Structure formats: structure tokens, C-alpha cells
Amino acid sequence: MVKKVAIITNGGDCPGLNAVIRAIVKTAETHGVECYGYIEGYKGLLENNYIKLESNGSASGLLHRGGTIIGASNSTNLFNYPVEQDGKIEYMDMSYQAVENARSAGFDCIFTLGGDGTQKSARDFSVRGLNVIGVPKTIDNDVAHSEITFGYNTAVSVAAEALDRLHSTAESHHRIMTLEVMGRYAGWIALEAAIAGGADAAIIPEIPYDIDKIVKKINKRKEEGKKFSIIVVSEGAKPKDGDMVIKKTLNDGKGLDNIRLGGIGEKLAHDLEEKTGMVARNTTLGYVQRGGTPTAFDRVLSTKYGTKAMELAIQGTFNVLVTLKNGKLDYVSLEDVVGKNKEIGARSGGTESTNIKRVTMDDDLVKVARNLDICLGD
Ligand code: F6P
């Protein structure tokens, strides 16, 4: 019987986190379960820092609120955690301490709201003996086995609105406008926003781009009398003969997700200006994609995921990730989510064994883009 549970919101923040918290808390209360929240993600688990969550108290008024009321920590891997020793940083396995903390606090289940890195750690904690249930959060929509992650719809909506705004200024000045969007190693945001915002090209990590193909598209538009072009580019995109643009390497390359992407939009705008002779400008959309209120779609999705997660805990179904399958609430084993990336404490993103969900060439969105003659850079 589950009597006491805790929530962790880990990784980058994301619209809908608070809506999931609210749904878990309300469902817990309906079933007489006490609910707590760890402060600042997995860091709170290590520091034994948690608060009580109640729908009439700390967890009230959450449905529409962006961010997370319990805070999040990014790149926190307790299995390979930086600890200062004699003035030097050593990477240590702090997971045993974290497990001991959760056990002594009496938590029967921990809900891990996060993306692939968070769910990798959740699976690793399940191997160490904790009962965990994951909820797929990320604007990137790249968690394996989840049809859709909460936060993604909001990010796409923000990007589509930005594209609408870029259209009128691009048209007035006869410019090429590149819009760099987030998404890490997956092009979902770029592709869907390009379709929603009527862009002329969508450049995604899954298709290393040939700049001449983009130039051809821009020139074709010029011949048709359209003197501006709008290009959406995913932060993880790269030219077919080049590499991703890395803005910063974090934690000496030793953390969980140790590179910060950014800069491909500027590069593409610069290269297109040189090749077409047109004026090009870049806009990097950045954190507005993640901040603020969730769309109605994300509020409902988050609420569905939160209630399902608590239902699973009550049934005693642990070490799974809540998902949608063919539009219906479902769950999948965390072992399947991490795929071949079994080594405890291993990094999640950007590695050979990573199991993130990337855009595949047979995806409907790719087919739609090709039918609309949106240039995919190939
Ligand atoms: O995973 C969500 C995300 O917003 C990515 O799209 C982006 O690459 C990354 O997080 C940025 O992370 P940070 O908050 O560490 O800058």
C-alpha cells in the first residue's frame, strides 16, 4: 500500500510541470496518500530537502503556472556527482546516500518528472531499489517510447508565434530570417513549428544540411516574386560536411549533459547572406520557449499524466514511464526507455547508446513538410 510519495522535477524547467504536480497531489489526496516535493530535483534527494504538498496549501493555483514550484536542477547526475575534496572536484557516486534518504523519509514511490537524462537516473535508482514512476517532460519531445512529452506543444506554439512575427518584418525588408529553436539532438520543435508557422525551410539535426539546397529554395522563391524567406533551424542541426555548433562545454565534459548548443542560426544566416547576396538576420528564440504558461493542450496532457502516474503508484506498478500510446494513457518499463544505455550513471544525451526519440524519415511530419515543399536541407 502506497501511503507517502514524493515528486522530483528535474532537468530544464518546462511548461506543465506545475500542472503535473497539481494532478499528482489531487489524485493522492483523493486516495488518502501524503505527497511531498523534493527541492531542486535530484539535488533535493541528495540533500534530503523536501516539502509537503497540499492542494489547499503549497500546491494551490498551479494549473496555469510556468516553471516548477519545487525547483529543478539541470545536469545533476547523482551517480557521477561533482564533490569538492581538498580543493579539487572529484566525481563520485552519491546514489547510495540518496536512496538511504528516500528510504528513511518513508517514501513508497518517487515520481520523476523529467526528460531522458532524468529518466535514465530514475531507472538507475530503480536498480538501486527505489520505487520510481517517470513522467515524460521536455519541450524537446525526445523521450524514447513517449508519443508526446508535456511542454512540447507550448514550445511549438511559442515558436510558431515568433515565425508569424518574423514573416512581416522579413517581407518588409526583403530579408532571409533564420529562427534558431531548441530541441537538442532532435528536430521536433523545428519541424512542427515550421509547418505551423509556414516556414520555407526546416533544418533539423536528423538531416545534415546541404547549404546549396537551401540557397536553391530561396532563389526559387525569388524567381516567383517572393523576396523573403523564413528558415527554422534546430540548435542541434549541422551542415553535411561540418559539426554541431557548441556554445559551451560544461563540467569539463564530465556531467550528465555536458554541452550547451547554440549558434547554428547565426552561422546559417551568415552563410546564406554570402551565398545569396540577400540580407539575412538570425533570431535565437531561447528560453521563452520554456518559460511561462502552458497551452491548454499541455495543461490537459500534464493533468492526464499526473493522474495516471498516481494511479500506477496505487496499483503498485513501479519503475515505469507514463506514456500515451495511440493517444491513450499507458506506461512503458524504464528499462525500455533507457534501451541499450544500461550502464549505471552513464550519460544520456549525445552518446552512441543514447535512446532518445529523434525524427525519422517516415514520420508524418517529414512527409507533410516534403509535400508542402518545405526545404529540409537535403
Ligand atoms: O532540454 C530542454 C532544453 O531547453 C533544450 O532544448 C536545450 O538545449 C537545453 O534544455 C538548454 O539547457 P539549459 O537550461 O541548461 O541551458
Side-chain angles (χ1 to χ4, degrees):
M1 272 292 277
V2 169
K3 283 272 157 232
K4 197 174 170 188
V5 297
I7 302 171
I8 286 178
T9 56
N10 198 65
D13 74 328
C14 176
L17 277 167
N18 284 326
V20 179
I21 294 173
R22 171 181 178 268
I24 292 176
V25 170
K26 278 183 171 278
T27 311
E29 287 171 354
T30 303
H31 294 274
V33 177
E34 272 184 77
C35 201
Y36 293 77
Y38 275 108
I39 301 299
E40 288 183 28
Y42 283 125
K43 211 160 139 246
L45 189 57
L46 181 62
E47 293 170 355
N48 216 9
N49 187 9
Y50 54 86
I51 57 166
K52 182 111 198 260
L53 296 171
E54 285 167 306
S55 63
N56 283 334
S58 52
S60 147
L62 293 190
L63 188 56
H64 65 286
R65 267 175 73 179
T68 160
I69 56 158
I70 49 178
S73 58
N74 221 349
S75 308
T76 303
N77 182 358
L78 297 184
F79 295 81
N80 185 26
Y81 192 72
V83 179
E84 200 181 321
Q85 279 193 332
D86 305 327
K88 273 179 60 189
I89 297 290
E90 300 281 344
Y91 282 80
M92 297 174 67
D93 183 354
M94 303 303 286
S95 62
Y96 293 100
Q97 178 66 58
V99 169
E100 181 47 38
N101 289 345
R103 286 223 175 100
S104 50
F107 292 126
D108 302 308
C109 174
I110 312 256
F111 297 101
T112 53
L113 281 46
D116 65 305
T118 302
Q119 303 312 339
K120 173 67 175 64
S121 283
R123 174 271 184 187
D124 292 353
F125 276 117
S126 77
V127 175
R128 292 265 191 271
L130 281 188
N131 289 331
V132 291
I133 296 178
V135 183
K137 166 236 74 168
T138 169
I139 62 163
D140 305 336
N141 197 32
D142 63 352
V143 178
H145 291 282
S146 71
E147 231 157 67
I148 185 161
T149 57
F150 71 86
Y152 170 63
N153 180 266
T154 306
V156 170
S157 304
V158 171
E161 198 205 321
L163 287 171
D164 289 348
R165 292 178 184 278
L166 288 174
H167 252 102
S168 57
T169 167
E171 196 166 9
S172 306
H173 290 278
H174 300 165
R175 283 175 173 168
I176 299 166
M177 290 289 188
T178 58
L179 177 70
E180 182 182 309
V181 296
M182 286 183 166
R184 268 200 324 176
Y185 313 111
W188 298 107
I189 299 177
L191 188 55
E192 198 154 336
I195 293 169
D200 307 300
I203 307 302
I204 60 175
E206 293 83 350
I207 307 179
Y209 68 85
D210 176 346
I211 186 126
D212 292 328
K213 294 285 166 53
I214 311 173
V215 170
K216 198 168 155 207
K217 170 76 186 183
I218 293 168
N219 287 338
K220 185 172 165 229
R221 282 176 54 79
K222 259 205 283 189
E223 281 157 26
E224 290 165 353
K226 291 174 183 151
K227 297 184 184 139
F228 71 97
S229 287
I230 308 279
I231 323 277
V232 188
V233 55
S234 186
E235 62 181 357
K238 59 179 176 195
K240 69 178 192 326
D241 47 5
D243 290 321
M244 286 187 307
V245 183
I246 293 172
K247 202 167 171 189
K248 197 171 177 187
T249 301
L250 309 164
N251 304 328
D252 302 329
K254 290 183 186 139
L256 182 64
D257 184 19
N258 56 19
I259 55 172
R260 192 173 299 149
L261 297 169
I264 189 69
E266 280 295 344
K267 175 180 163 47
L268 192 57
H270 171 271
D271 293 351
L272 288 173
E273 198 164 79
E274 296 232 309
K275 288 211 168 231
T276 61
M278 286 172 72
V279 174
R281 294 278 193 271
N282 175 62
T283 302
T284 298
L285 201 49
Y287 294 89
V288 291
Q289 289 159 99
R290 261 175 38 184
T293 187
T295 56
F297 180 92
D298 270 333
R299 293 179 202 191
V300 174
L301 183 64
S302 301
T303 303
K304 283 164 118 177
Y305 279 164
T307 54
K308 179 72 181 179
M310 193 63 227
E311 270 179 17
L312 288 170
I314 290 163
Q315 283 166 22
T317 305
F318 301 117
N319 310 332
V320 293
L321 177 78
V322 177
T323 58
L324 277 191
K325 197 168 170 200
N326 302 322
K328 289 245 168 257
L329 282 169
D330 205 336
Y331 62 89
V332 61
S333 146
L334 282 171
E335 286 299 335
D336 290 344
V337 175
V338 301
K340 294 195 189 103
N341 194 15
K342 299 282 187 224
E343 189 197 333
I344 292 213
R347 285 209 296 123
S348 59
T351 60
E352 277 287 293
S353 54
T354 192
N355 200 32
I356 60 168
K357 183 187 73 174
R358 304 179 83 206
V359 176
T360 53
M361 293 311 108
D362 61 350
D363 193 274
D364 281 347
L365 290 176
V366 172
K367 292 185 199 162
V368 168
R370 293 206 191 280
N371 279 327
L372 295 176
D373 195 26
I374 295 176
C375 172
L376 297 179
D378 59 349

